[in-house]
Structures are given as C-alpha cells and as structure tokens.
C-alpha cells in the first residue's frame, strides 16, 4: 500500500502540468481525496504551473469572440451554487453535488468536444465531513465534483457547434439566430426538466442518435453525431407518430461541423414514437421513405 | 495562497501600464457568480489576452484557439457559482481551467502531434527574448526564466514540453528518450524546484 501511495505522490508534478492520461488523472484525483499531504503539494505545484502560464505573452483575441460570448452567456444558465445543490439533495448520497446535473452527461458524450472529459466526470470529492479549517487549507477546485461542470460545458459547446447549422432552411439570418437561440433554450429546458429521459440508437449508416424528452414539457430533441450530409434536393424530416399516424415535427440538414440536433416542432404526446426519414427538399406531409432511426418513448 | 498573483498584488505598483484594472479578477468573478454580465465583460477584458495567449501557445492554430477560448469563458460563466476564493485565487482558477481544457483539445487532435513526437523536440519554451509590452509580463518572464535556469536540463525540458507543449508524460518520455517513470520524477522534482525558486506557497 505504501508503494502504491508513493507511486501516486510521484505524479503530483505530472498532474499539475496536465501530463497524466485521463485514467491516471482520475486515479490521482481519487488519491488526492485521501491524502492531505499530496493534496497540499499538488495545490502548490498547480499554482506553480499557473506562474508558468503567466509568463506567456498575452494575445488579444479578435473582438468578434467577445461579441459571441456576450450573446451566449445572455442565454446560458449558470450552475446552481454548491450549497444550494447539496441542500436540495439527499445528504447520504456520495454524489450529491453532481447528481442534479448528471442527466446532461450523455449529451456531453455526444458532443465529442474538448470539454468532454471522462476522467473529470467520475471524479467526486469525498462526502466525509471536514472542519472549516481543513476545507480552507486543503480543498481546491480540483478535488471538487467536476461532473456537472464538464457536462454543462459540453452541452453548451454542443449548442454552439450545432446550433445555427441544424435548421437554416428557408430563414433569414436574423430569423436563424433567434430560431437558434430559442432552440438552445428549449434544449436546455428539456435537459433541466426533472423528468428528462433519453434513448440512444444507431442510425442506418452508422451515426449515433440520442433522443431526449420531457413529458412534463411535452417537448423533445434529437441529437445525431456523425449524420451524413444529403444531396441538395433532400432533407431529413422528423415525425411524431401515434395511433392516428405521423405528424411532421420539423426538418433538419446535417451540421457541417459537430453534432446535428433539433428540438422537435409541436407537442409530444405520451408514448409517441419518433422517427426520422429522408424526404424531398421542403419536406413531406407524410413520410415517403422508411425511417433511418426510430425511438419508442413508451 | 498564491504569492505570485500579478493583478491583485500589483495594482498600483505598475503605473506605467495604462488601464490598470480598477477591480480585481477575484471581485469580478464573485460578481459573475451572481449572474452579473457586466462583470463578466470586464473579467473577459482583463483575462482574455492571458487565456488566449496561453491557448494559442499550446494549440498554435488560430481558429481552434478561438474556439477553445470561447469554451473556456463559457465554462467560467457557468461555473463561477462554484468558485470559492477561500480555495484559491481567481487568476489561478481561470488559468488552471484554461490549461486543462486546452490540453484536452490538443490530445483530441492528435494526428499532427504524433509526427512531432517522432521527429523530436521543437521549441516549447516561452518566448523569453520577446520584448513584452508590459512591465508586468516582463517581470513574470524574468522570474520564470530565472527559476527555470535552476533546473537540470532534463527537468527543464520535461516541464516545458508538458506545460507549453501540452505533451503527456509518455510523449515526453518518447521525445527525451527516457523511461516514463523518470519523466514523472523529473516533472515533480522540477516543479518543486520551481515552486521553491519562485516562492509559491499555499
């Protein structure tokens, strides 16, 4: 056991420099929770790494980046404060602090973007009570539950990457951006709903589709990673299907970059089946081809 | 707590620099945590050149660097509510997150890097010779450069490749032709030495 601990202690420098593999990073963070000595050293070495970062010449980013960000944050909710989250959760859950946002994780996985970090998603701080002094001296952001943080960042990155592309059909640019922001709001609302559910399936052709919905909101969204682009005279059409037949629920083009996603038009009924077909440009009133993917929500 | 905190510590000390921020990143981040978009705007103005400079240093590609910088600031916005100044300084929190996210991106776009690893070391030191615009940054350069000069060659190379190149310890081992275990030890020894030289203590 001692050897094993020494092994971990030797990794503090590599950890502070982000030079560990994801698996090693995860194991190291678990170890941090149990060793105050390593924790103190790691904190100091992380601060030392920051000093290396401060020696890099600053470069001013293009102004458009800030404009973009200011628009994004205006519609991006912040995480609840940790104390609030813990208060709302059962105190006996080890994962209490990260639980409320954990339903976002599969979205994060489908986003396949930088913020998607498997190591962080499973790193959680110990639930053991600590004295305030201990907390102050030893706890740092890297020992805290990071699940929610990574997942939310990835979910938003998904919105950013796929947002405007997913439905640009026949809309002016102003209509497009307000449409994109509405869609982003709705997607966030579905994920935040207490009854949010999801299914994952493979699309003909190999893409991965994730269907998320909330019965309370009667709203659903489809996220497809790796959706193939169609010829210009065709379009993907989404359908809600119940006993009385298929109702058109919106069109989408494959995103050029990142996952394709769309919040479905109209209300989702309990037990509705959702399907996607390839239709002629402009869409059809009823499906004319076999669906490439089907989800049964019941 | 971190000693090496430029903005918070140096406000008023460098009157040569115009536009010295009136509000510290710490205070701004705490206001951001309450949903204050104006505070976010000011925090961005103060920190974005730092973050973008670091991201660009690691990624090199301009458009990817913009993307990652945007992701980092979005994450700052979302997670500011979890920032606790008792646990560390705002600048540390931001730069630590920025470095990690950038390294994640570097690893995700691995193909061109495999070639780098095979070919060997390129220049991954910060541009020490570059004359910096601000006294603040120049002082930090000098401090890091001086501390770096106290390391052994292997320590210095390993630390630089890991931090400024975003290479994993196994990549560093390949590039320096030493066992992974040795790299881990050198990274730790090197960082401890830097910590002591620069007087960074919690």
């Amino acid at each position: 056991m001692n050897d094993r601990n020494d092994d971990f202690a030797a990794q503090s420098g590599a950890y502070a420099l982000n030079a560990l593999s994801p698996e090693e990073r995860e194991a190291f963070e678990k170890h941090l929770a149990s060793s105050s000595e390593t924790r103190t050293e790691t904190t100091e070495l992380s601060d030392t790494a920051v000093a290396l970062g401060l020696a890099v010449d600053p470069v001013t980013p293009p102004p458009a980046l800030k404009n973009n960000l200011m628009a994004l944050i205006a519609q991006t909710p912040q995480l609840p404060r940790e104390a609030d989250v813990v208060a709302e959760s059962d105190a006996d859950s080890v994962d209490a602090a990260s639980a409320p946002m954990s339903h976002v994780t599969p979205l994060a996985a489908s986003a396949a973007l930088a913020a998607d970090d498997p190591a962080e998603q499973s790193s959680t701080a110990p639930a053991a009570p600590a004295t305030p002094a201990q907390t102050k001296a030893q706890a740092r952001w890297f020992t805290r539950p990071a699940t929610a943080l990574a997942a939310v960042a990835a979910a938003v990155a998904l919105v950013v990457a796929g947002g405007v592309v997913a439905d640009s059909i026949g809309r002016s640019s102003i209509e497009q951006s307000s449409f994109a922001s509405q869609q982003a709001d709705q997607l966030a609302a579905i994920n935040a709903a207490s009854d949010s559910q999801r299914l994952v399936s493979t699309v003909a052709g190999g893409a991965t589709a994730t269907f998320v919905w909330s019965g309370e909101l009667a709203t659903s969204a489809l996220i497809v990673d790796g959706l193939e682009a169609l010829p210009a005279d065709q379009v993907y059409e989404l359908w809600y299907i119940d006993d009385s037949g298929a109702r058109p629920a919106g069109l989408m083009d494959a995103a050029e970059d990142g996952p394709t996603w769309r919040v479905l038009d109209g209300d989702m009924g309990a037990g509705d089946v959702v399907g996607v077909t390839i239709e002629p440009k402009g869409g059809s009133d009823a499906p004319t081809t076999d669906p490439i993917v089907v989800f049964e929500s019941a | 707590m971190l000693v090496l905190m430029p903005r918070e510590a140096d406000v008023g000390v460098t009157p040569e620099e115009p536009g010295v921020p009136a509000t510290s990143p710490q205070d701004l981040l705490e206001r951001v945590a309450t949903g204050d978009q104006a505070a976010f705007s000011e925090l961005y103005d103060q920190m974005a050149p730092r973050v973008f400079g670091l991201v660009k240093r690691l990624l090199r590609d301009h458009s990817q660097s913009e993307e990652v910088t945007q992701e980092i600031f979005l994450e700052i916005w979302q997670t500011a509510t979890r920032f606790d100044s008792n646990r560390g300084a705002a600048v540390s929190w931001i730069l630590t997150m920025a470095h990690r996210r950038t390294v994640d991106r570097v690893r995700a776009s691995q193909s061109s890097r495999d070639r780098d690893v095979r070919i060997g070391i390129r220049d991954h030191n910060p541009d020490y010779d570059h004359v910096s615009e601000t006294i603040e940054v120049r002082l930090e350069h000098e401090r890091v450069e001086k501390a770096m000069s106290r390391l052994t060659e292997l320590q210095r190379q390993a630390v630089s490749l890991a931090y400024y190149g975003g290479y994993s310890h196994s990549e560093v081992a390949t590039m320096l032709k030493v066992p992974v275990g040795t790299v881990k030890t050198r990274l730790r020894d090197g960082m401890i030495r830097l910590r002591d030289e620069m007087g960074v203590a919690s």
Side-chain angles (χ1 to χ4, degrees):
Chain A
M1 194 60 201
N2 234 349
D3 285 354
R4 183 90 175 120
N5 282 340
D6 288 350
D7 228 40
F8 276 121
Q11 296 185 5
S12 58
Y15 177 83
L17 292 160
N18 286 319
L20 295 178
S21 69
E23 299 74 34
E24 289 170 319
R25 188 196 273 181
E26 185 182 355
F28 185 82
E29 283 175 348
K30 278 189 186 137
H31 171 73
L32 274 183
S34 67
S35 165
S36 64
E37 203 178 323
T38 311
R39 202 151 59 221
T40 302
E41 180 175 290
T42 305
T43 300
E44 291 174 356
L45 298 190
S46 291
D47 285 343
T48 304
V50 169
L52 297 180
L54 290 173
V56 175
D57 271 338
V59 181
T60 305
L65 188 58
K66 184 175 180 185
N67 294 343
N68 244 350
L69 263 168
M70 294 310 293
L72 276 169
I73 63 157
Q75 63 184 48
T76 305
Q78 295 180 298
L79 287 182
R81 286 177 183 274
E82 228 167 13
D84 305 343
V85 176
V86 174
E88 287 164 11
S89 311
D90 291 333
D92 58 343
S93 162
V94 175
D95 211 24
S98 60
M101 294 303 297
S102 59
H103 54 263
V104 185
T105 307
L107 261 186
S110 78
L113 286 164
D116 180 12
D117 184 339
E120 282 203 354
Q121 287 182 9
S122 51
S123 69
T124 46
T131 68
Q134 273 173 337
T135 307
K136 188 166 178 170
Q138 299 171 349
R140 286 293 284 262
W141 49 85
F142 50 66
T143 62
R144 286 185 280 162
T147 312
L149 321 194
V152 170
V156 170
L158 163 82
V159 170
V160 175
V164 184
V165 191
D167 192 303
S168 54
I169 303 159
R171 292 170 201 273
S172 73
S173 60
I174 292 169
E175 282 169 349
Q176 261 179 44
S177 69
S178 93
F179 177 78
S181 99
Q182 278 171 21
Q183 289 262 310
D185 285 349
Q186 286 179 286
L187 180 62
I190 296 168
N191 279 299
S194 57
D195 69 335
S196 173
Q197 294 186 70
R198 87 186 65 78
L199 291 167
V200 179
S201 178
T202 305
V203 180
T208 305
T210 306
F211 178 62
V212 286
W213 77 97
S214 158
E216 266 168 31
L217 299 175
T219 309
S220 71
L222 185 73
I223 302 111
V224 191
D225 211 1
L227 188 64
E228 280 177 21
L230 292 173
D233 60 345
Q234 292 182 330
V235 68
Y236 290 104
E237 184 157 9
L238 293 80
W239 308 93
Y240 278 131
I241 304 157
D242 61 17
D243 294 342
S244 60
R247 312 191 296 281
L251 307 178
M252 65 182 191
D253 284 332
E256 286 166 28
D257 187 16
T260 304
W261 66 272
R262 195 194 199 289
V263 176
L264 276 67
D265 291 343
D267 286 347
M268 178 179 177
D272 270 358
V273 171
V274 166
V276 180
T277 61
I278 297 172
E279 300 294 334
K281 190 181 177 190
S284 307
D285 294 334
T288 61
T289 60
D290 287 338
I292 56 168
V293 65
V294 172
F295 289 102
E296 295 179 28
S297 65
Chain B
M1 195 64 68
L2 187 59
V3 176
L4 237 189
M5 277 294 99
R7 301 271 183 192
E8 281 110 326
D10 292 354
V11 170
V13 181
T14 53
E16 297 92 336
E17 188 190 355
V20 166
T23 316
S24 72
Q26 200 95 3
D27 293 340
L28 287 172
L29 194 52
E30 279 164 17
R31 278 168 48 199
V32 170
T34 67
D36 185 337
Q37 296 180 20
F40 180 84
S41 168
E42 204 178 328
L43 181 68
Y44 177 91
D45 290 342
Q46 286 188 25
M47 291 304 298
R50 290 280 193 196
V51 170
F52 191 57
L54 179 61
V55 171
K56 222 166 163 256
R57 167 101 218 146
L58 278 118
L59 271 172
R60 287 174 224 182
D61 178 81
H62 195 89
S63 66
Q64 275 205 60
S65 300
E66 286 182 30
E67 264 176 57
V68 173
T69 301
Q70 177 164 314
E71 285 168 19
I72 291 164
F73 275 94
L74 253 186
E75 192 171 347
I76 290 170
W77 166 255
Q78 293 179 296
T79 61
T81 46
R82 304 291 170 90
F83 171 73
D84 177 355
S85 58
N86 289 326
R87 291 167 161 178
V91 172
S92 291
W93 187 73
I94 291 170
L95 281 192
T96 302
M97 182 198 295
H99 190 262
R100 181 179 279 205
R101 292 287 163 251
T102 311
V103 168
D104 288 345
R105 173 63 72 100
V106 166
R107 304 261 161 88
S109 48
Q110 196 67 27
S111 56
S112 64
R113 295 172 50 79
D114 292 343
R115 210 186 94 251
D116 284 4
V117 172
R118 283 198 308 276
I119 292 173
I121 307 165
R122 298 222 301 240
D123 173 27
H124 287 290
N125 293 315
D127 308 319
Y128 293 132
D129 298 336
H130 185 87
V131 179
S132 293
E133 300 149 45
T134 66
I135 293 200
E136 184 188 318
V137 176
R138 201 156 73 224
L139 289 174
E140 284 152 17
H141 272 189
E142 286 168 6
R143 194 167 189 175
V144 168
E145 186 180 18
K146 190 168 161 235
M148 280 280 200
S149 72
R150 304 266 197 262
L151 305 189
T152 67
E153 194 187 356
L154 190 57
Q155 285 172 348
R156 188 167 54 245
Q157 287 172 339
V159 168
S160 290
L161 286 170
Y163 192 82
Y164 295 116
Y167 292 99
S168 69
H169 57 61
S170 56
E171 288 174 323
V172 172
T174 308
M175 293 165 90
L176 298 179
K177 300 184 175 62
V178 292
V180 174
T182 309
V183 168
K184 282 187 190 166
T185 318
R186 293 302 172 271
L187 289 177
R188 176 164 179 256
D189 296 347
M191 288 301 282
I192 287 174
R193 191 74 170 268
L194 287 177
R195 174 196 69 190
D196 296 345
E197 289 291 335
M198 292 193 285
V200 179
S202 285

